[in-house]
Amino acid sequence: MPKPYFLLQKKSDVYSVEINGTEDLEKTEKVDEEGMYKDLKGNKKKKKTEDLKKELDLVSDAKLTFHRGLSSARAAEILARDGPNSLTPPKATPEIVKFLKQMVGGFSILLWIGAAFSWISFGIQFAQGAESPFDNLYLGVVLALVVILTGIFAYYQEAKSTNIMASFSKMIPQQALVIRDAEKKELPADQLVVGDIVEIKGGDRIPADIRLIFTQGCKVDNSSLTGESEPQSRSCDFTHENPLETRNIAFYSTTCVEGTATGIVINTGDRTIIGRIASLASGVGNGKTPIAIEIEHFVYLVAGVAISIGVLFFIISVSMRYKILDSIIFLIGIIVANVPEGLLATVTVSLSLTAKRMAKKNCLVKNLEAVETLGSTSIICSDKTGTLTQNRMTVAHLWFDDQIYSADTSEDQTTQPFDQSSQTWTALSKIVTLCNRAEFRPGQENLPVMKRVVVGDASETALLKFAEVVLGDVMDIRARNKKVAEIPFNSTNKFQLSIHETDDRNDKRFLLVMKGAPERILERCSTIMINGKEEPLDSEKAEAFQTAYMELGGMGERVLGFCHLYLPENEFPDTYPFDTDSMNFPTSNLCFVGLLSMIDPPRSTVPDAVSKCRSAGIKVIMVTGDHPITAKAIAKSVGIISATSETVEDMAKRLNVPVERVDRRQATAAVVNGMELKDMSLQQLDEVLCNHSEIVFARTSPQQKLIIVEGCQRQGAVVAVTGDGVNDSPALKKADIGIAMGIAGSDAAKNAADMVLLDDNFASIVTGVEEGRLIFDNLKKTIAYTLTKNIAELCPFLIYIIASIPMPIGTITILFIDLGTDIIPSVALAYEKAESDIMNRRPRNKSKDRLVNEQLAVYSYLHIGIMQSVGAFVTYFTVYAEQGFLPTTLLGVRVNWESNAINDFEDSYGQEWTKYQRTYLQWTGYTAFFVSITIQQVADLIIRKTRRNSIFQQGLFRNKVIWVGIFSQIGIALILTYVLLRYWFVAVPFAILIWVYDEVRKLFIRRYPGSKLVGQEHVLLKQSLSLVILLLVESFFSILIQPLLLKRPVCAIITWARPMKG
Amino acid sequence: MARDKQKRSCGQVLAEWRAFVWDPRSRQVLGRTATSWGLILLFYLLFYGFLAGLFALTMWVLLQTVDPHVPKYQDRLATPGMMIRPRTETLDVAFNVSAAETWQHYVRLLHDFLEPYNDSVQAARNAACRPGRYHEQPDEAVPNVPKRACRFARSALGPCAGLGPPGTAFGYAAGRPCVLLKVNRVINYFPGENKSINVVCAAKREEDAARLGEMAMFPPNGTIDLMYFPYYGKRVHVNYTQPVVAVQFLNATANEDHHVECRLNAAGLRADDERDKFAGRVAFRLRINRD
């Protein structure tokens, strides 16, 4: 049988794409391959067509028994052979691999090295029979525990967010109506096998690729496959060689819009057309998220510092004649001091807090790192329908009495404000109400009109709701105007007609109402109603109609014409038998009443969101399958194309020259048709994306979305893409952040996306962007906060090695800071409010605005960090001095101090100490050092609240969580030090100094914006130098000249105090 | 982006680095001009100079607040430690009787240690105090007046005083070594609650007592006189002579390790701290090898 061959063939294609999928060059090829199904000439495709045809032959045997269907036994057999009818989810990394990845990523390697060194030195010491080798064993165990625990934590966080998604895909198990063993059965769709007979009716999702053998008015919506939004009719006839074009095949995951059909399953699961596209998506390379790159950069930076300082001091200590073993132990200390053990966990927590906050705002983030990606987004490629618009037809304009009226199109309209006094409106409203087959589902009387569910097509629904809002109970009006005959809309007539009794008891005439394509309706009219009076339809009035029709059509709206006729009572008495087949009633010389135009209106929050994007420097590109005119109209109404900008076509029209002669560069906006896009080279596309700031892609297929995304990425942009269809998934994967629609989105799209938009609303993306930017700023603060104390932890080791003083702080104590007191405060910084309006600046430049840059590292390490170290050392020396060892006695004592044999170590007062007494004192020193770092970290936490603004501008109490952080920090420190309050206040002046120093820095930054002071200290230096010199000169002069000019110096100083020019 | 990185050849990277190290066009070294570097260095010089000054200032303030005579806290020294002489890098006294070079350094160490205890020095510097009670010297009107120290006669150590003929060498030459024991100095420490205190030595494990053999204590009974307490600190108590007790191992079994523990026997002194093996006691290893 040909099937396995077919399968292999296909598989190998997919793999070839996967293997090459990462290279940009091959991407065009791949896109071609996606388009292959449509390409009639492609050789590969021909082969496939052949295969598919063979399959059909095979299946045709089953036709003979289609009323019986497969036997359950046979079905089970095939199911066992082919597997269930469901798309294989993208290959998941095994959990254990994910877990191990957490164990070796980031700083873990460094800590493992530290642990390994500890164990090695334990081994050596143990073998040598030293006194206390177990210290190193424990240290190694603690380090390993730290790595494992943070690994478990990170793994847990990630698993949690993945689980949210898993629950998504299992929400609705699909059912299919299958004939098996000559019985109709409702089966889960994944139980379907090739050869099953399935029945489909309007509204169903097609459960597999099926060859139709019986249809009745069947139409399918292939939009999820091809992007064409118009429903296509399906029949049993074989009409085309290409399986995608032929009418007798319906595809998995598309929906049946109306009618019924019966068919034989010819492909299931991954072998369906959609399955192949979905597996293509998994081949699209998924790059690292910007925040992952940033964190990697940060890890490299810190690891670089740790390793270089470690190695440097290893060499120094070896050349200072320390034992190799001791040097290794120093190395461990330096590594532990340098690595911010708790930071990665903190970042994870901060991101997941933001993810939670975003979930509340309807942005469900699948991948934590995507939280920040959204913040650095510079281009959003948005769908139109449902995302920018409300996804429902709504009456937007009316034309009667030779005048255009606008209707309210907002989501929650309850009244319509336009002038309803005219008699013409009364007549028009009657037609709208009566000539309409749509009905509300019963039992929704309490719901607002706009929210009620309607049975009927989109236009009729729009008209029904419009009428209900304006007139009140439509069903009652219809009941009072009993329908006696009706011709439903069909594509040959292009009109819909019905005949009603009137609700006027005295008027025994029948009312004929008709609606349809405006030009067809006008053809049938001889009069027109103006202000309630019928007037002959002369050329002037016909001209007015044309103008209005063009204007409404030009706004991208779907226009309908309405006319009516009161049938004369004498010709059409009560009992007249209306026959819709022979049409024994007039259908011409009617009276034209008016036009109504409908559009899928933009969501009311979208224009605001788009303008926010604009001020935030984010380009919004609309990508839609709709008609260019409609797309442009919506783009204009939401501000994607601003009121003042023009497309090339607009300019041509205004200047009255052919399109070719217009300078394309001058047009800021562009509406690109899918057909044009198809013929464009990559360079041309780049040009379009580069030259126009406002772009709309219309009539595009979802496959072209991928090309657009890649084009944007070539410009160096961080691209967010929205999508809902299965074949959006390659684009969603390719994008830096793929956003799937929560309501309209398919599972495949949700799977491929990084984020799910629960309300399908574009405005939610913008709030997401805001959160993303905020978290980037706040992570910067968190990292700055965390890095600072690393210097205060590192310096003790360096000075210990060089000056041979007793060890100021122990490795375990460092872990108490990193994983104890500092965790909650650094998470608290994630709650910090934005300093300025973060939506008014451009998206960060991926290559320039790093998370951890030179300035941040230098300021944290060399400024605040050093100050902290000084403060901590003052505490250290205070402890030793108060216990009997004055600072000078401490220098160079290391060897004797640490000797186990010396139990009469003399202090500055002549007292003698045993080893244990000294060790106990050393621990007190650790505690004091720990406490003073904690105290200064409180100051550090406060200064990190803002980067530019003074703390007094930002407010100390706005972020309550900071205070939780401060109190937790102090609380944990109190518990760890057994409430030893003795040395708590030594470092307080230094904490205050840190605060003052930072306030001065911020003052300079605010005074002289543009110069980033840190990293460019010379600017700061110049300013302060000039101040010092000025003061010196002043005082010098004041001594010399004061007798002469008493008031001068004071004036000069005051003058300087005013802001100087840059 | 990935492609850009690949495109850069090794030579280009090298050239970029060279340009970074010295860019002749903009006259920049490591990305900065000389003036910029100068200013940066100056800034850090000033900044760190300020911090160093601040540190020095706080240290000075600290020293002003610290009492130079008595430390502020003594909570770590509640129980004074004990130590032996001769002290080597390990707490061992191990030697071969017939090989003089194995014990010569012990003898030298003991002689050096006992130098200030010479009777002549003691007589010249220190006062004869009334034995059997604390020698308290309270400050009257003037604070921190210099204190007098009590005499400790080296001769009181008997054969362990090292005053005999040079050949005796604290008994090491005869395989009957002396080990001196001393109690750590702690300022204002009054041991024994006014009752006499002494040092006792024994084998660490009782069953080894026989093999360790007899010991002689000098002064007799290992007594330390209360007159050597309290200690007033090295600033006011300049000539303070720390009392010592000697233990002589008279016939310890040769060629085997003896673990000896000596304790200070004083009322109110707890010498059983599990963690501090030297609080009020001292343990050392003794090994006398004979050919």
Side-chain angles (χ1 to χ4, degrees):
Chain A
M1 61 183 288
K3 194 149 180 44
Y5 166 67
F6 173 80
L7 236 170
L8 266 176
Q9 188 67 31
K10 181 57 212 158
K11 272 269 155 78
S12 64
D13 286 343
V14 171
Y15 284 142
S16 73
V17 172
E18 275 180 350
I19 292 159
N20 300 327
T22 43
E23 284 300 318
D24 275 356
L25 281 174
E26 262 100 354
K27 274 192 188 132
T28 38
E29 239 178 73
K30 182 187 63 215
V31 172
D32 287 344
E33 224 173 270
E34 278 166 24
M36 164 176 77
Y37 302 106
K38 285 187 163 177
D39 181 5
L40 277 170
K41 287 173 203 159
N43 281 338
K44 275 185 191 169
K45 200 216 85 292
K46 248 187 190 161
K47 204 185 270 167
K48 253 169 233 147
T49 320
E50 295 292 301
D51 289 329
L52 209 49
K53 269 195 283 181
K54 276 185 205 158
E55 251 178 285
L56 296 188
D57 292 341
L58 166 90
V59 166
S60 63
D61 301 338
K63 248 183 183 178
L64 301 171
T65 59
F66 83 85
H67 58 281
R68 296 190 50 82
L70 292 174
S71 68
S72 295
R74 176 76 186 131
E77 230 170 82
I78 304 174
L79 185 67
R81 186 193 67 194
D82 292 350
N85 173 35
S86 57
L87 298 183
T88 323
K91 213 183 283 167
T93 337
E95 294 299 304
I96 185 75
V97 174
K98 275 194 210 165
F99 183 65
L100 289 179
K101 259 191 184 165
Q102 302 286 0
M103 293 284 165
V104 294
F107 295 117
S108 307
I109 291 286
L110 274 183
L111 291 179
W112 280 123
I113 293 172
F117 277 148
S118 310
W119 287 325
I120 290 169
S121 52
F122 160 71
I124 296 170
Q125 284 182 333
F126 191 71
Q128 288 175 346
E131 283 265 324
S132 53
F134 290 97
D135 286 359
N136 282 317
L137 177 69
Y138 299 147
L139 178 60
V141 170
V142 168
L143 289 181
L145 270 181
V146 167
V147 179
I148 292 169
L149 287 180
T150 46
I152 288 174
F153 178 76
Y155 171 76
Y156 168 73
Q157 282 290 348
E158 196 170 301
K160 222 168 58 177
S161 55
T162 321
N163 281 343
I164 300 176
M165 279 322 292
S167 61
F168 240 114
S169 49
K170 286 190 180 141
M171 228 147 56
I172 316 151
Q174 204 192 336
Q175 298 285 321
L177 194 61
V178 189
I179 301 175
R180 276 201 193 158
D181 304 326
E183 275 178 65
K184 280 188 191 179
K185 287 180 185 169
E186 188 98 334
L187 281 181
D190 61 354
Q191 298 295 313
L192 286 188
V193 295
V194 171
D196 264 333
I197 313 291
V198 289
E199 287 190 4
I200 295 152
K201 58 182 189 310
D204 284 358
R205 219 173 82 156
I206 314 275
D209 282 2
I210 52 175
R211 156 78 160 84
L212 302 174
I213 49 180
F214 164 78
T215 59
Q216 191 176 37
C218 176
K219 277 189 175 176
V220 290
D221 174 6
N222 270 359
S223 60
S224 70
L225 191 63
T226 59
E228 292 158 276
S229 51
E230 285 296 309
Q232 296 166 331
S233 65
R234 281 289 175 266
S235 66
C236 309
D237 309 323
F238 168 75
T239 55
H240 207 286
E241 286 276 320
N242 184 340
L244 265 165
E245 304 272 322
T246 186
R247 286 206 165 179
N248 58 350
I249 295 181
F251 296 103
Y252 181 38
S253 94
T254 60
T255 40
C256 177
V257 187
E258 55 183 73
T260 57
T262 307
I264 304 176
V265 174
I266 53 172
N267 269 324
T268 57
D270 292 335
R271 292 167 298 279
T272 57
I273 298 284
I274 212 82
R276 289 169 205 168
I277 294 178
S279 58
L280 260 182
S282 63
V284 176
N286 202 354
K288 278 185 184 152
T289 58
I291 192 77
I293 294 169
E294 289 306 318
I295 287 176
E296 198 169 76
H297 171 246
F298 158 71
V299 168
Y300 283 152
L301 197 133
V302 172
V305 170
I307 291 172
S308 42
I309 294 183
V311 169
L312 181 71
F313 275 82
F314 184 77
I315 294 167
I316 289 178
S317 50
V318 168
S319 51
M320 279 175 77
R321 310 254 168 111
Y322 282 97
K323 278 185 260 165
I324 298 284
L325 197 65
D326 287 343
S327 308
I328 289 177
I329 293 171
F330 302 158
L331 186 62
I332 301 168
I334 288 173
I335 290 176
V336 173
N338 256 310
V339 173
E341 286 84 5
L343 188 64
L344 294 189
T346 312
V347 170
T348 316
V349 173
S350 306
L351 286 176
S352 53
L353 283 174
T354 307
K356 256 188 205 160
R357 223 159 31 201
M358 281 163 81
K360 267 187 211 154
K361 294 178 182 172
N362 291 321
C363 297
L364 192 69
V365 180
K366 267 173 66 184
N367 174 359
L368 279 186
E369 287 163 355
V371 169
E372 193 281 325
T373 314
L374 202 53
S376 45
T377 299
S378 53
I379 295 183
I380 301 175
C381 292
S382 175
D383 275 344
K384 180 183 83 68
T385 312
T387 311
L388 295 170
T389 66
Q390 301 171 15
N391 197 15
R392 56 146 192 257
M393 276 294 174
T394 305
V395 174
H397 292 98
L398 306 96
W399 179 77
F400 57 85
D401 293 345
D402 205 1
Q403 199 177 341
I404 292 179
Y405 298 89
S406 312
D408 177 13
T409 56
S410 66
E411 281 95 333
D412 49 355
Q413 41 181 290
T414 43
T415 51
Q416 286 290 355
F418 65 89
D419 179 21
Q420 293 163 8
S421 55
S422 165
Q423 286 294 310
T424 319
W425 162 245
T426 318
L428 182 59
S429 65
K430 197 156 227 172
I431 309 171
V432 169
T433 316
L434 298 179
C435 190
N436 191 334
R437 283 155 58 93
E439 284 176 22
F440 289 112
R441 284 249 175 93
Q444 307 185 82
E445 286 74 20
N446 299 328
L447 284 175
V449 177
M450 285 297 140
K451 293 236 168 75
R452 292 187 203 168
V453 181
V454 175
V455 188
D457 74 17
S459 322
E460 295 223 301
T461 305
L463 293 173
L464 173 65
K465 286 187 175 173
F466 179 69
E468 183 85 10
V469 167
V470 184
L471 302 173
D473 195 345
V474 168
M475 302 318 283
D476 182 52
I477 298 172
R478 284 198 202 157
R480 279 188 277 125
N481 297 272
K482 230 182 101 217
K483 192 192 288 177
V484 290
E486 175 177 48
I487 303 175
F489 184 87
N490 68 52
S491 44
T492 33
N493 288 346
K494 298 223 170 180
F495 69 77
Q496 178 180 349
L497 172 155
S498 57
I499 300 168
H500 298 260
E501 293 170 1
T502 60
D503 50 356
D504 187 348
R505 290 270 167 79
N506 307 324
D507 193 349
K508 291 289 177 207
R509 291 179 298 176
F510 284 104
L511 173 64
L512 183 149
V513 289
M514 188 194 250
K515 75 166 187 230
E519 63 279 9
R520 293 297 183 86
I521 297 293
L522 195 75
E523 277 170 16
R524 294 170 186 276
C525 295
S526 54
T527 57
I528 184 165
M529 185 177 277
I530 303 287
N531 295 329
K533 292 188 192 73
E534 276 185 44
E535 288 177 22
L537 185 66
D538 50 24
S539 61
E540 187 190 328
K541 298 215 168 61
E543 187 70 19
F545 160 85
Q546 277 302 336
T547 320
Y549 182 26
M550 291 311 289
E551 190 174 343
L552 295 176
M555 287 191 279
E557 295 177 4
R558 187 187 289 175
V559 191
L560 285 177
F562 294 83
C563 64
H564 73 184
L565 183 69
Y566 281 95
L567 301 177
E569 198 180 346
N570 45 7
E571 277 180 57
F572 300 93
D574 267 358
T575 51
Y576 186 83
F578 290 102
D579 181 4
T580 52
D581 289 329
S582 61
M583 298 230 245
N584 56 355
F585 43 82
T587 54
S588 56
N589 290 329
L590 312 176
C591 170
F592 192 87
V593 181
L595 294 171
L596 244 75
S597 67
M598 285 161 290
I599 197 163
D600 178 11
R603 289 167 179 268
S604 52
T605 46
V606 168
D608 194 36
V610 170
S611 81
K612 257 190 176 173
C613 281
R614 237 172 232 282
S615 55
I618 302 170
K619 195 163 159 179
V620 182
I621 294 178
M622 182 197 275
V623 183
T624 173
D626 264 1
H627 196 275
I629 295 177
T630 319
K632 193 176 161 190
I634 293 293
K636 281 210 153 173
S637 65
V638 298
I640 289 179
I641 294 180
S642 51
T644 50
S645 64
E646 292 178 310
T647 63
V648 174
E649 291 76 18
D650 290 336
M651 286 174 73
K653 206 170 158 192
R654 177 167 57 85
L655 302 170
N656 212 0
V657 292
V659 173
E660 294 76 39
R661 286 180 49 203
V662 178
D663 180 9
R664 293 192 162 265
R665 306 251 158 113
Q666 284 186 356
T668 47
V671 178
V672 183
N673 200 312
M675 299 309 280
E676 292 166 45
L677 185 61
K678 210 172 177 182
D679 300 331
M680 271 184 193
S681 66
L682 292 182
Q683 284 76 17
Q684 282 172 316
L685 176 62
D686 286 354
E687 237 166 72
V688 169
L689 291 171
C690 216
N691 292 340
H692 303 288
S693 56
E694 299 167 345
I695 308 173
V696 171
F697 288 98
R699 280 238 184 274
T700 47
S701 69
Q703 277 87 353
Q704 288 178 322
K705 232 184 205 175
L706 185 65
I707 305 175
I708 296 168
V709 171
E710 283 169 355
C712 295
Q713 283 175 335
R714 271 198 303 278
Q715 320 287 314
V718 175
V719 186
V721 171
T722 69
D724 44 24
V726 173
N727 52 352
D728 283 337
S729 45
L732 287 174
K733 272 220 136 165
K734 181 68 208 166
D736 295 282
I737 178 163
I739 304 168
M741 296 299 137
I743 302 169
S746 60
D747 288 348
K750 284 177 196 166
N751 258 326
D754 304 294
M755 209 178 94
V756 178
L757 214 54
L758 292 179
D759 61 353
D760 291 13
N761 189 349
F762 181 81
S764 304
I765 302 179
V766 181
T767 46
V769 169
E770 206 167 337
E771 289 290 344
R773 289 185 172 194
L774 182 59
I775 196 65
F776 187 81
D777 280 7
N778 286 349
L779 279 183
K780 251 186 151 148
K781 295 173 183 174
T782 302
I783 289 178
Y785 169 78
T786 314
L787 282 188
T788 306
K789 60 152 194 305
N790 279 2
I791 285 296
E793 292 167 352
L794 179 68
C795 280
F797 280 93
L798 308 188
I799 293 179
Y800 165 74
I801 292 171
I802 292 170
S804 283
I805 55 172
M807 182 73 99
I809 191 165
T811 317
I812 304 284
T813 324
I814 288 174
L815 293 179
F816 277 139
I817 302 175
D818 287 3
L819 298 171
T821 54
D822 258 13
I823 291 282
I824 298 174
S826 44
V827 171
L829 281 172
Y831 285 96
E832 198 55 39
K833 304 273 182 304
E835 249 175 275
S836 52
D837 192 359
I838 45 178
M839 290 306 274
N840 277 339
R841 61 176 194 227
R842 300 195 57 75
R844 77 184 176 93
N845 183 331
K846 269 195 293 187
S847 52
K848 282 188 194 142
D849 308 332
R850 310 304 304 252
L851 183 63
V852 179
N853 51 18
E854 196 195 342
Q855 281 101 336
L856 187 148
V858 164
Y859 189 66
S860 297
Y861 276 153
L862 296 184
H863 292 211
I864 304 295
I866 296 286
M867 286 164 89
Q868 275 196 356
S869 310
V870 172
F873 265 104
V874 166
T875 317
Y876 165 85
F877 283 119
T878 309
V879 170
Y880 279 82
E882 293 194 337
Q883 291 279 356
F885 292 92
L886 297 181
T888 41
T889 20
L890 288 174
L891 301 177
V893 299
R894 191 191 69 92
V895 176
N896 285 346
W897 180 275
E898 286 175 0
S899 164
N900 282 317
I902 299 177
N903 283 295
D904 49 355
F905 189 94
E906 196 179 318
D907 68 12
S908 315
Y909 292 86
Q911 306 187 97
E912 290 171 318
W913 295 64
T914 66
K915 171 73 198 306
Y916 182 77
Q917 286 163 346
R918 296 197 300 273
T919 309
Y920 205 102
L921 172 59
Q922 192 174 320
W923 291 340
T924 313
Y926 289 1
T927 312
F929 213 94
F930 161 77
V931 163
S932 48
I933 289 181
T934 307
I935 290 287
Q936 293 179 91
Q937 278 294 83
V938 171
D940 192 23
L941 183 65
I942 290 170
I943 65 169
R944 299 300 183 182
K945 275 167 67 74
T946 61
R947 291 200 287 162
R948 290 187 71 252
N949 292 353
S950 162
I951 297 300
F952 303 103
Q953 285 172 314
Q954 181 87 346
L956 257 176
F957 299 96
R958 259 176 67 195
N959 180 357
K960 305 271 187 307
V961 189
I962 286 283
W963 288 95
V964 174
I966 291 176
F967 286 122
S968 77
Q969 193 168 23
I970 293 172
I972 292 171
L974 277 174
I975 293 166
L976 289 177
T977 58
Y978 306 112
V979 205
L980 179 77
L981 273 171
R982 207 182 275 169
Y983 301 110
W984 273 77
F985 303 102
V986 181
V988 168
F990 285 87
I992 294 167
L993 178 71
I994 288 174
W995 189 348
V996 171
Y997 179 76
D998 193 66
E999 280 293 329
V1000 170
R1001 178 190 69 101
K1002 284 171 186 160
L1003 180 75
F1004 270 107
I1005 287 185
R1006 287 195 303 274
R1007 275 246 173 119
Y1008 310 105
S1011 65
K1012 292 173 190 157
L1013 288 176
V1014 177
Q1016 297 193 357
E1017 287 84 353
H1018 57 281
V1019 180
L1020 184 62
L1021 187 75
K1022 267 184 200 162
Q1023 309 296 347
S1024 22
L1025 258 186
S1026 52
L1027 170 66
V1028 172
I1029 292 170
L1030 205 84
L1031 283 177
L1032 282 178
V1033 172
E1034 286 294 339
S1035 43
F1036 179 70
F1037 270 91
S1038 57
I1039 296 165
L1040 280 184
I1041 318 173
Q1042 214 156 23
L1044 304 172
L1045 281 165
L1046 250 168
K1047 285 173 190 169
R1048 277 294 297 159
V1050 182
C1051 296
I1053 290 172
I1054 292 167
T1055 320
W1056 195 87
R1058 286 194 215 122
M1060 263 174 22
K1061 272 177 193 169
Chain B
M1 290 240 334
R3 262 188 311 172
D4 293 348
K5 268 180 194 162
Q6 282 161 8
K7 268 184 190 169
R8 269 169 25 191
S9 70
C10 193
Q12 274 173 308
V13 172
L14 213 67
E16 268 173 36
W17 273 98
R18 200 173 299 148
F20 177 66
V21 173
W22 167 241
D23 188 350
R25 200 170 42 81
S26 53
R27 306 187 58 77
Q28 285 182 337
V29 184
L30 299 174
R32 284 181 192 283
T33 57
T35 12
S36 167
W37 275 115
L39 283 166
I40 289 251
L41 285 180
L42 188 60
F43 172 82
Y44 280 105
L45 210 67
L46 289 177
F47 181 55
Y48 289 154
F50 164 72
L51 285 183
L54 191 70
F55 181 74
L57 180 77
T58 37
M59 284 298 105
W60 181 79
V61 170
L62 172 70
L63 292 179
Q64 297 312 300
T65 57
V66 164
D67 182 344
H69 302 96
V70 184
K72 190 165 178 188
Y73 300 110
Q74 285 183 289
D75 46 348
R76 295 281 77 85
L77 299 174
T79 308
M82 276 184 73
M83 213 25 205
I84 58 161
R85 287 292 183 278
R87 182 181 71 183
T88 52
E89 280 183 17
T90 50
L91 286 163
D92 288 340
V93 178
F95 62 97
N96 192 330
V97 178
S98 44
E101 69 276 8
T102 57
W103 46 260
Q104 213 90 62
H105 64 283
Y106 289 127
V107 174
R108 208 176 313 119
L109 281 170
L110 286 173
H111 273 299
D112 290 349
F113 176 74
L114 288 176
E115 192 85 22
Y117 290 81
N118 285 340
D119 291 356
S120 54
V121 178
Q122 291 293 320
R125 284 187 191 158
N126 295 349
C129 308
R130 215 180 100 190
R133 48 171 264 195
Y134 300 123
H135 182 62
E136 286 182 85
Q137 306 171 62
D139 291 327
E140 299 292 321
V142 194
N144 299 319
V145 287
K147 307 289 192 288
R148 307 217 51 187
C150 295
R151 274 181 207 152
F152 184 93
R154 184 171 177 175
S155 51
L157 296 176
C160 291
L163 298 170
T168 53
F170 297 96
Y172 281 78
R176 301 164 69 169
C178 285
V179 174
L180 303 182
L181 301 157
K182 64 183 196 71
V183 177
N184 282 354
R185 291 189 294 265
V186 174
I187 292 174
N188 289 332
Y189 177 63
F190 297 85
E193 295 172 353
N194 246 328
K195 287 185 262 308
S196 76
I197 58 171
N198 69 326
V199 176
V200 287
C201 288
K204 204 161 190 178
R205 281 173 302 179
E206 275 175 37
E207 58 267 33
D208 297 337
R211 285 205 299 281
L212 184 59
E214 265 181 68
M215 289 170 281
M217 303 297 290
F218 308 95
N221 211 19
T223 309
I224 297 175
D225 202 295
L226 293 185
M227 67 181 176
Y228 300 108
F229 300 97
Y231 173 55
Y232 284 107
K234 75 176 179 189
R235 221 166 149 142
V236 289
H237 220 161
V238 179
N239 293 326
Y240 178 75
T241 309
Q242 201 169 7
V244 279
V245 170
V247 55
Q248 185 171 29
F249 298 92
L250 297 175
N251 57 351
T253 317
N255 301 330
E256 78 179 53
D257 281 353
H258 301 285
H259 293 277
V260 187
E261 192 179 65
C262 299
R263 307 173 155 265
L264 178 62
N265 197 0
L269 181 116
R270 288 181 61 241
D272 52 357
D273 190 333
E274 267 305 302
R275 287 174 296 181
D276 191 352
K277 297 263 158 44
F278 295 89
R281 58 189 158 153
V282 60
F284 60 95
R285 187 173 66 97
L286 175 74
R287 189 183 176 97
I288 306 166
N289 290 328
R290 287 177 200 270
D291 294 331

